[in-house]
Amino acid sequence: MEEPLEAVDSTNEPHDHPLKGIGYMLAGVAILVALEMCAKSAANAGVGVLQVSWVRYVGHLVLFAAIFGPKLKLGLVKTQYPVKQISRGVLLLLMTLASFLSLQYLQMIQVTVIGFLIPLVVAALSVPMLKERVGPHRWGAIIIGFIGVMLVVRPTSLDTHWSMLVLMGGIFFYGFYMIYTKQLASKGESSIRSVFYTALIGGVILTLPMPFVWEMPQNIEVWGYLAAAGILGGIGHFLVIKAHEFAPASLLAPFIYTQVIWSVLMGYLQFGDLPDHWTILGGAIVISSGIYLMVREARKQKK
């Protein structure tokens, strides 16, 4: 699951074009869901998770180097926080592997809804790691959101697949990744550099096993899925960065939930999948909890 929740604010320009920012955000979200569709399609064709993930990371790395390298040069990789950047890269890689693995067995909408647990996990982790105070309203939203995810996972049901638990484990890794991202952003670290480092670390680590696990795709269609996965990840994150140049994060955050629309649409058109009533109900609860947290945070910032 490619979650566009980076704490990005890539320039010092004023956020004076909100509609343009929303447009970039909507496009970025749709493209990142299309990446998941390509990853699932490649996996269904027999391509291994490590191979799909490697193509995704290397494509992202090459695209960002081509776009930002000529302008930023060494500034793209020169950081005062190498340990934290490497840690972020490893954490996101673990999340990516969990997400792509779960896509082999679950519907896209199931992966999307379970992924909406992320802002709730981040809110919970912010207490011990960022020393933030979480009041009863936020704790209530976190608990209710978790109940919504449990309706999708249904751990006592025979329909529960082990990959759901793997995905939830990956989400907790992603929660720590987001905490580190917030810490770096508060210290003035460039968001573009942080996004580049996630691609660099994942690409380097995944390159090591490639000589042993690479399998040649069987036809041009599979090659197309892999090529698209490599390109779409970089484009999607680039559009999310552009969105934050034109509009504040508090305005853009609710549009992340348009993933639901794209996941249902692409899942149905590509795989013939439709969500069951438990997924719909759980998704509605999780989304409501997430939006409630966003509204509370926005009001807090205004005060």
PDB file of all heavy atoms in Angstrom, residues 5-8 84 88 174-187 189 194 198:
ATOM      1  N   LEU A   5       1.069   9.876   2.768  1.00  0.00           N
ATOM      2  CA  LEU A   5       0.913  10.628   4.004  1.00  0.00           C
ATOM      3  C   LEU A   5       2.225  11.230   4.472  1.00  0.00           C
ATOM      4  O   LEU A   5       2.430  11.455   5.646  1.00  0.00           O
ATOM      5  CB  LEU A   5       0.343   9.719   5.109  1.00  0.00           C
ATOM      6  CG  LEU A   5      -1.110   9.329   4.957  1.00  0.00           C
ATOM      7  CD1 LEU A   5      -1.504   8.352   6.056  1.00  0.00           C
ATOM      8  CD2 LEU A   5      -2.017  10.538   5.001  1.00  0.00           C
ATOM      9  N   GLU A   6       3.134  11.469   3.534  1.00  0.00           N
ATOM     10  CA  GLU A   6       4.389  12.116   3.900  1.00  0.00           C
ATOM     11  C   GLU A   6       4.100  13.488   4.504  1.00  0.00           C
ATOM     12  O   GLU A   6       3.229  14.224   4.043  1.00  0.00           O
ATOM     13  CB  GLU A   6       5.262  12.321   2.644  1.00  0.00           C
ATOM     14  CG  GLU A   6       5.822  11.041   2.077  1.00  0.00           C
ATOM     15  CD  GLU A   6       7.078  10.617   2.783  1.00  0.00           C
ATOM     16  OE1 GLU A   6       7.442  11.229   3.781  1.00  0.00           O
ATOM     17  OE2 GLU A   6       7.688   9.650   2.334  1.00  0.00           O
ATOM     18  N   ALA A   7       4.852  13.840   5.530  1.00  0.00           N
ATOM     19  CA  ALA A   7       4.739  15.193   6.084  1.00  0.00           C
ATOM     20  C   ALA A   7       5.550  16.118   5.214  1.00  0.00           C
ATOM     21  O   ALA A   7       6.662  16.522   5.535  1.00  0.00           O
ATOM     22  CB  ALA A   7       5.245  15.220   7.524  1.00  0.00           C
ATOM     23  N   VAL A   8       5.015  16.459   4.050  1.00  0.00           N
ATOM     24  CA  VAL A   8       5.779  17.204   3.071  1.00  0.00           C
ATOM     25  C   VAL A   8       5.336  18.645   3.012  1.00  0.00           C
ATOM     26  O   VAL A   8       4.187  18.984   3.166  1.00  0.00           O
ATOM     27  CB  VAL A   8       5.656  16.564   1.667  1.00  0.00           C
ATOM     28  CG1 VAL A   8       6.276  15.203   1.641  1.00  0.00           C
ATOM     29  CG2 VAL A   8       4.198  16.481   1.231  1.00  0.00           C
ATOM     30  N   LYS A  84      18.754   8.447  10.853  1.00  0.00           N
ATOM     31  CA  LYS A  84      17.291   8.505  10.848  1.00  0.00           C
ATOM     32  C   LYS A  84      16.751   8.313   9.438  1.00  0.00           C
ATOM     33  O   LYS A  84      15.706   7.674   9.252  1.00  0.00           O
ATOM     34  CB  LYS A  84      16.816   9.830  11.448  1.00  0.00           C
ATOM     35  CG  LYS A  84      15.321   9.890  11.718  1.00  0.00           C
ATOM     36  CD  LYS A  84      14.996  10.777  12.910  1.00  0.00           C
ATOM     37  CE  LYS A  84      15.413  10.149  14.215  1.00  0.00           C
ATOM     38  NZ  LYS A  84      14.969  10.915  15.401  1.00  0.00           N
ATOM     39  N   ARG A  88      14.254   5.321   8.359  1.00  0.00           N
ATOM     40  CA  ARG A  88      12.997   5.549   7.653  1.00  0.00           C
ATOM     41  C   ARG A  88      12.900   4.664   6.414  1.00  0.00           C
ATOM     42  O   ARG A  88      11.853   4.076   6.126  1.00  0.00           O
ATOM     43  CB  ARG A  88      12.873   7.015   7.224  1.00  0.00           C
ATOM     44  CG  ARG A  88      12.566   8.006   8.320  1.00  0.00           C
ATOM     45  CD  ARG A  88      12.523   9.421   7.759  1.00  0.00           C
ATOM     46  NE  ARG A  88      11.435   9.588   6.801  1.00  0.00           N
ATOM     47  CZ  ARG A  88      11.576   9.613   5.487  1.00  0.00           C
ATOM     48  NH1 ARG A  88      12.773   9.453   4.937  1.00  0.00           N
ATOM     49  NH2 ARG A  88      10.540   9.788   4.700  1.00  0.00           N
ATOM     50  N   TYR A 174       5.102   1.352   9.470  1.00  0.00           N
ATOM     51  CA  TYR A 174       4.864   2.621   8.796  1.00  0.00           C
ATOM     52  C   TYR A 174       4.569   3.726   9.805  1.00  0.00           C
ATOM     53  O   TYR A 174       4.913   4.889   9.584  1.00  0.00           O
ATOM     54  CB  TYR A 174       3.692   2.483   7.818  1.00  0.00           C
ATOM     55  CG  TYR A 174       3.586   3.634   6.833  1.00  0.00           C
ATOM     56  CD1 TYR A 174       4.218   3.560   5.598  1.00  0.00           C
ATOM     57  CD2 TYR A 174       2.869   4.775   7.130  1.00  0.00           C
ATOM     58  CE1 TYR A 174       4.139   4.597   4.694  1.00  0.00           C
ATOM     59  CE2 TYR A 174       2.778   5.823   6.236  1.00  0.00           C
ATOM     60  CZ  TYR A 174       3.413   5.726   5.017  1.00  0.00           C
ATOM     61  OH  TYR A 174       3.342   6.770   4.127  1.00  0.00           O
ATOM     62  N   GLY A 175       3.938   3.379  10.909  1.00  0.00           N
ATOM     63  CA  GLY A 175       3.689   4.368  11.945  1.00  0.00           C
ATOM     64  C   GLY A 175       4.984   4.952  12.480  1.00  0.00           C
ATOM     65  O   GLY A 175       5.115   6.179  12.634  1.00  0.00           O
ATOM     66  N   PHE A 176       5.972   4.101  12.757  1.00  0.00           N
ATOM     67  CA  PHE A 176       7.279   4.584  13.203  1.00  0.00           C
ATOM     68  C   PHE A 176       7.957   5.409  12.101  1.00  0.00           C
ATOM     69  O   PHE A 176       8.615   6.415  12.391  1.00  0.00           O
ATOM     70  CB  PHE A 176       8.174   3.410  13.601  1.00  0.00           C
ATOM     71  CG  PHE A 176       7.811   2.798  14.922  1.00  0.00           C
ATOM     72  CD1 PHE A 176       7.106   1.607  14.988  1.00  0.00           C
ATOM     73  CD2 PHE A 176       8.169   3.419  16.113  1.00  0.00           C
ATOM     74  CE1 PHE A 176       6.761   1.037  16.203  1.00  0.00           C
ATOM     75  CE2 PHE A 176       7.831   2.861  17.339  1.00  0.00           C
ATOM     76  CZ  PHE A 176       7.121   1.664  17.383  1.00  0.00           C
ATOM     77  N   TYR A 177       7.793   4.966  10.866  1.00  0.00           N
ATOM     78  CA  TYR A 177       8.335   5.714   9.731  1.00  0.00           C
ATOM     79  C   TYR A 177       7.774   7.129   9.694  1.00  0.00           C
ATOM     80  O   TYR A 177       8.502   8.106   9.490  1.00  0.00           O
ATOM     81  CB  TYR A 177       7.999   4.957   8.441  1.00  0.00           C
ATOM     82  CG  TYR A 177       8.045   5.779   7.182  1.00  0.00           C
ATOM     83  CD1 TYR A 177       9.246   6.009   6.519  1.00  0.00           C
ATOM     84  CD2 TYR A 177       6.882   6.308   6.627  1.00  0.00           C
ATOM     85  CE1 TYR A 177       9.286   6.755   5.353  1.00  0.00           C
ATOM     86  CE2 TYR A 177       6.913   7.045   5.465  1.00  0.00           C
ATOM     87  CZ  TYR A 177       8.114   7.269   4.836  1.00  0.00           C
ATOM     88  OH  TYR A 177       8.145   8.013   3.680  1.00  0.00           O
ATOM     89  N   MET A 178       6.452   7.274   9.925  1.00  0.00           N
ATOM     90  CA  MET A 178       5.837   8.591   9.910  1.00  0.00           C
ATOM     91  C   MET A 178       6.313   9.448  11.076  1.00  0.00           C
ATOM     92  O   MET A 178       6.496  10.656  10.935  1.00  0.00           O
ATOM     93  CB  MET A 178       4.317   8.448   9.945  1.00  0.00           C
ATOM     94  CG  MET A 178       3.693   8.021   8.630  1.00  0.00           C
ATOM     95  SD  MET A 178       3.962   9.247   7.331  1.00  0.00           S
ATOM     96  CE  MET A 178       3.113  10.663   8.000  1.00  0.00           C
ATOM     97  N   ILE A 179       6.524   8.828  12.224  1.00  0.00           N
ATOM     98  CA  ILE A 179       7.047   9.572  13.373  1.00  0.00           C
ATOM     99  C   ILE A 179       8.431  10.129  13.055  1.00  0.00           C
ATOM    100  O   ILE A 179       8.732  11.309  13.322  1.00  0.00           O
ATOM    101  CB  ILE A 179       7.095   8.683  14.628  1.00  0.00           C
ATOM    102  CG1 ILE A 179       5.681   8.291  15.073  1.00  0.00           C
ATOM    103  CG2 ILE A 179       7.842   9.393  15.751  1.00  0.00           C
ATOM    104  CD1 ILE A 179       4.831   9.438  15.556  1.00  0.00           C
ATOM    105  N   TYR A 180       9.292   9.296  12.466  1.00  0.00           N
ATOM    106  CA  TYR A 180      10.616   9.771  12.082  1.00  0.00           C
ATOM    107  C   TYR A 180      10.521  10.882  11.039  1.00  0.00           C
ATOM    108  O   TYR A 180      11.308  11.845  11.053  1.00  0.00           O
ATOM    109  CB  TYR A 180      11.455   8.617  11.526  1.00  0.00           C
ATOM    110  CG  TYR A 180      11.948   7.645  12.576  1.00  0.00           C
ATOM    111  CD1 TYR A 180      12.376   6.368  12.216  1.00  0.00           C
ATOM    112  CD2 TYR A 180      11.997   7.991  13.913  1.00  0.00           C
ATOM    113  CE1 TYR A 180      12.825   5.462  13.172  1.00  0.00           C
ATOM    114  CE2 TYR A 180      12.449   7.102  14.872  1.00  0.00           C
ATOM    115  CZ  TYR A 180      12.858   5.841  14.490  1.00  0.00           C
ATOM    116  OH  TYR A 180      13.297   4.957  15.434  1.00  0.00           O
ATOM    117  N   THR A 181       9.565  10.753  10.116  1.00  0.00           N
ATOM    118  CA  THR A 181       9.369  11.779   9.096  1.00  0.00           C
ATOM    119  C   THR A 181       8.991  13.109   9.736  1.00  0.00           C
ATOM    120  O   THR A 181       9.507  14.165   9.368  1.00  0.00           O
ATOM    121  CB  THR A 181       8.275  11.346   8.106  1.00  0.00           C
ATOM    122  OG1 THR A 181       8.667  10.132   7.455  1.00  0.00           O
ATOM    123  CG2 THR A 181       8.049  12.408   7.039  1.00  0.00           C
ATOM    124  N   LYS A 182       8.089  13.062  10.709  1.00  0.00           N
ATOM    125  CA  LYS A 182       7.685  14.282  11.412  1.00  0.00           C
ATOM    126  C   LYS A 182       8.858  14.893  12.173  1.00  0.00           C
ATOM    127  O   LYS A 182       9.023  16.119  12.207  1.00  0.00           O
ATOM    128  CB  LYS A 182       6.525  13.966  12.369  1.00  0.00           C
ATOM    129  CG  LYS A 182       5.200  13.654  11.683  1.00  0.00           C
ATOM    130  CD  LYS A 182       4.147  13.271  12.697  1.00  0.00           C
ATOM    131  CE  LYS A 182       2.817  12.974  12.027  1.00  0.00           C
ATOM    132  NZ  LYS A 182       2.198  14.216  11.482  1.00  0.00           N
ATOM    133  N   GLN A 183       9.678  14.046  12.791  1.00  0.00           N
ATOM    134  CA  GLN A 183      10.829  14.551  13.532  1.00  0.00           C
ATOM    135  C   GLN A 183      11.809  15.259  12.599  1.00  0.00           C
ATOM    136  O   GLN A 183      12.327  16.333  12.925  1.00  0.00           O
ATOM    137  CB  GLN A 183      11.517  13.407  14.261  1.00  0.00           C
ATOM    138  CG  GLN A 183      10.704  12.842  15.440  1.00  0.00           C
ATOM    139  CD  GLN A 183      11.367  11.636  16.077  1.00  0.00           C
ATOM    140  OE1 GLN A 183      12.176  10.947  15.454  1.00  0.00           O
ATOM    141  NE2 GLN A 183      11.018  11.364  17.327  1.00  0.00           N
ATOM    142  N   LEU A 184      12.057  14.673  11.430  1.00  0.00           N
ATOM    143  CA  LEU A 184      12.975  15.290  10.481  1.00  0.00           C
ATOM    144  C   LEU A 184      12.398  16.591   9.925  1.00  0.00           C
ATOM    145  O   LEU A 184      13.123  17.575   9.752  1.00  0.00           O
ATOM    146  CB  LEU A 184      13.272  14.317   9.336  1.00  0.00           C
ATOM    147  CG  LEU A 184      14.180  13.140   9.687  1.00  0.00           C
ATOM    148  CD1 LEU A 184      14.256  12.163   8.531  1.00  0.00           C
ATOM    149  CD2 LEU A 184      15.584  13.629  10.044  1.00  0.00           C
ATOM    150  N   ALA A 185      11.087  16.579   9.644  1.00  0.00           N
ATOM    151  CA  ALA A 185      10.459  17.796   9.128  1.00  0.00           C
ATOM    152  C   ALA A 185      10.555  18.930  10.139  1.00  0.00           C
ATOM    153  O   ALA A 185      10.781  20.088   9.780  1.00  0.00           O
ATOM    154  CB  ALA A 185       9.004  17.520   8.762  1.00  0.00           C
ATOM    155  N   SER A 186      10.406  18.612  11.420  1.00  0.00           N
ATOM    156  CA  SER A 186      10.480  19.643  12.462  1.00  0.00           C
ATOM    157  C   SER A 186      11.883  20.216  12.589  1.00  0.00           C
ATOM    158  O   SER A 186      12.064  21.328  13.092  1.00  0.00           O
ATOM    159  CB  SER A 186      10.029  19.065  13.811  1.00  0.00           C
ATOM    160  OG  SER A 186      10.960  18.096  14.287  1.00  0.00           O
ATOM    161  N   LYS A 187      12.892  19.468  12.115  1.00  0.00           N
ATOM    162  CA  LYS A 187      14.275  19.933  12.160  1.00  0.00           C
ATOM    163  C   LYS A 187      14.697  20.631  10.872  1.00  0.00           C
ATOM    164  O   LYS A 187      15.858  20.998  10.711  1.00  0.00           O
ATOM    165  CB  LYS A 187      15.218  18.758  12.441  1.00  0.00           C
ATOM    166  CG  LYS A 187      15.004  18.129  13.818  1.00  0.00           C
ATOM    167  CD  LYS A 187      15.899  16.920  14.007  1.00  0.00           C
ATOM    168  CE  LYS A 187      15.679  16.298  15.384  1.00  0.00           C
ATOM    169  NZ  LYS A 187      16.515  15.075  15.595  1.00  0.00           N
ATOM    170  N   GLU A 189      14.502  19.323   7.712  1.00  0.00           N
ATOM    171  CA  GLU A 189      14.979  18.439   6.644  1.00  0.00           C
ATOM    172  C   GLU A 189      14.067  18.568   5.429  1.00  0.00           C
ATOM    173  O   GLU A 189      12.843  18.600   5.546  1.00  0.00           O
ATOM    174  CB  GLU A 189      15.007  16.989   7.128  1.00  0.00           C
ATOM    175  CG  GLU A 189      15.529  15.986   6.101  1.00  0.00           C
ATOM    176  CD  GLU A 189      17.042  16.035   5.914  1.00  0.00           C
ATOM    177  OE1 GLU A 189      17.573  17.145   5.742  1.00  0.00           O
ATOM    178  OE2 GLU A 189      17.686  14.971   5.936  1.00  0.00           O
ATOM    179  N   SER A 194      13.965  13.612   1.849  1.00  0.00           N
ATOM    180  CA  SER A 194      13.451  12.482   2.625  1.00  0.00           C
ATOM    181  C   SER A 194      12.783  11.455   1.719  1.00  0.00           C
ATOM    182  O   SER A 194      12.982  10.249   1.884  1.00  0.00           O
ATOM    183  CB  SER A 194      12.452  12.981   3.680  1.00  0.00           C
ATOM    184  OG  SER A 194      13.112  13.726   4.681  1.00  0.00           O
ATOM    185  N   THR A 198      14.038   7.422   0.893  1.00  0.00           N
ATOM    186  CA  THR A 198      13.244   6.198   1.006  1.00  0.00           C
ATOM    187  C   THR A 198      13.427   5.321  -0.227  1.00  0.00           C
ATOM    188  O   THR A 198      13.519   4.094  -0.124  1.00  0.00           O
ATOM    189  CB  THR A 198      11.753   6.529   1.190  1.00  0.00           C
ATOM    190  OG1 THR A 198      11.270   7.293   0.080  1.00  0.00           O
ATOM    191  CG2 THR A 198      11.519   7.291   2.464  1.00  0.00           C
TER     192      THR A 198
END
